[in-house]
Amino acid sequence: MLCNVTLMTYMGGANGETVMTVGSKSKAAQIAEVDPVWAAVVAGARQIASDEPPLANMVVANILNHERFEDALVHRLASRLHHPDVSSDMIRRAFHDALEQHSDIGTFARADLAATLERDPACQRAVEPLLYFKGFQAIQTHRFAHALNKMGRRDFALYLQSRASQVFQTDINPAVPMGRGIMLDHGTGLVIGETAAIGDNVSILQGVTLGGTGKSDQDRHPKIGNGVLIGAGAKVLGNIQIGECSRIGAGSVVLKAVPPRTTVAGVPAKVIGEAGCAQPALVMDQMVLVHDPNS
């Protein structure tokens, strides 16, 4: 039951810092003011519990029993990743340890959820990625694995990589840094190698490989700039730079650096024109027609 109380409330700031406010409002009203993403998730969860009674227990356990977005995120991921080898309780403890040292995980996860809601026409409510979308869940698992890897817990991070590949069909090395606002559509078949890096506001579709070339243990994987769209089934190989706001057509094999704000397509990929819009990752148009001079 909601009641009017005077209390201090949490908000993740722009840089992941903690901001505290004080007021005399209902708890729901305070949450909506300082964390609109979490408020939208809770509203969606209540709707599911009302509309689909068989799902009520799942929704309560994963969403409505929690006061913060971060707590719900940890609970949902740990439940999905549970295995007799490493229980969900152990995973939850590790994730909370990661949050203590890397509070920006929650800020970045909110940006990823907002990106999914904005760019994926199949996503109608904020609660859906958190509960159902394995692309979103895979990215968040990687964020925790990356944080644990930076904390020196490499074996736990590698376990999460292995377990995520089983559960979500994605394989992302825990060393890979990722910016905020990442949208992974479907996620099945995604492979990202150890020395890759991904900027902000990037959209990636299923079957994408960011791979290395040769057996060198040096820097050998692609660097993806801000605002890039990578179409389904594309392969980007080697230590090459993919310029910001560029577009890689579905099924392309990219072996050379891609200039900013251009479109590349084909096998091997070639520059075929401008990106077509200021923010390809937001538009999500991966269909690129390559002119065949022999046709």
Side-chain angles (χ1 to χ4, degrees):
M1 181 176 68
L2 297 176
C3 58
N4 288 330
V5 293
T6 300
L7 61 116
M8 302 180 76
T9 56
Y10 163 89
M11 177 176 66
N15 297 315
E17 73 273 13
T18 299
V19 179
M20 309 298 287
T21 61
V22 179
S24 179
K25 298 180 180 179
S26 74
K27 192 170 185 179
Q30 289 180 335
I31 290 173
E33 285 184 2
V34 300
D35 194 346
V37 172
W38 176 233
V41 168
V42 169
R46 288 174 174 157
Q47 180 185 355
I48 294 171
S50 174
D51 294 347
E52 288 287 353
L55 299 180
N57 287 341
M58 183 269 290
V59 169
V60 169
N62 285 283
I63 307 293
L64 299 180
N65 270 353
H66 306 283
E67 294 188 358
R68 296 192 311 159
F69 175 84
E70 286 83 352
D71 296 331
L73 179 66
V74 165
H75 188 279
R76 183 56 176 161
L77 295 179
S79 298
R80 293 296 316 272
L81 297 167
H82 173 80
H83 188 272
D85 287 344
V86 181
S87 71
S88 58
D89 285 339
M90 292 180 180
I91 294 171
R92 276 192 285 270
R93 285 197 291 271
F95 284 4
H96 281 297
D97 290 344
L99 281 169
E100 288 184 3
Q101 295 193 32
H102 299 274
S103 60
D104 59 351
I105 291 174
T107 302
F108 279 45
R110 287 173 175 84
D112 297 341
L113 191 150
T116 303
L117 185 60
E118 177 184 5
R119 301 174 206 167
D120 186 353
C123 184
Q124 300 179 6
R125 298 168 297 180
V127 71
E128 293 171 6
L130 185 55
L131 284 180
Y132 308 130
F133 288 16
K134 66 186 181 71
F136 174 81
Q137 294 168 354
I139 293 297
Q140 306 324 310
T141 299
H142 170 72
R143 293 200 184 282
F144 283 103
H146 182 65
L148 290 166
N149 190 59
K150 290 172 66 176
M151 292 163 59
R153 300 183 65 177
R154 182 171 182 270
D155 285 304
F156 206 107
L158 289 172
Y159 173 80
L160 290 172
Q161 176 190 359
S162 174
R163 185 71 183 128
S165 71
Q166 295 175 307
V167 176
F168 306 126
Q169 294 82 52
T170 63
D171 195 335
I172 311 172
N173 190 285
V176 175
M178 285 191 184
R180 70 184 70 199
I182 306 299
M183 203 282 273
L184 177 56
D185 197 12
H186 301 293
T188 302
L190 176 71
V191 176
I192 304 179
E194 179 185 24
T195 61
I198 298 175
D200 296 333
N201 300 315
V202 172
S203 294
I204 305 173
L205 285 94
Q206 70 272 15
V208 166
T209 297
L210 305 182
T213 55
K215 296 175 64 177
S216 170
D217 61 356
Q218 303 301 314
D219 198 349
R220 61 195 185 278
H221 294 97
K223 312 299 181 284
I224 310 300
N226 298 337
V228 172
L229 170 63
I230 307 179
K235 315 301 177 188
V236 187
L237 306 178
N239 181 17
I240 57 177
Q241 183 70 39
I242 307 303
E244 66 178 18
C245 297
S246 59
R247 181 171 60 144
I248 298 174
S252 299
V253 177
V254 184
L255 303 175
K256 297 180 180 180
V258 175
R261 295 172 290 282
T262 59
T263 293
V264 299
V267 181
K270 298 179 181 179
V271 175
I272 63 171
E274 297 180 352
C277 62
Q279 295 285 335
L282 306 186
V283 177
M284 296 295 295
D285 181 6
Q286 61 171 325
M287 296 300 294
V288 179
L289 298 178
V290 180
H291 174 67
D292 182 356
N294 298 318
S295 62

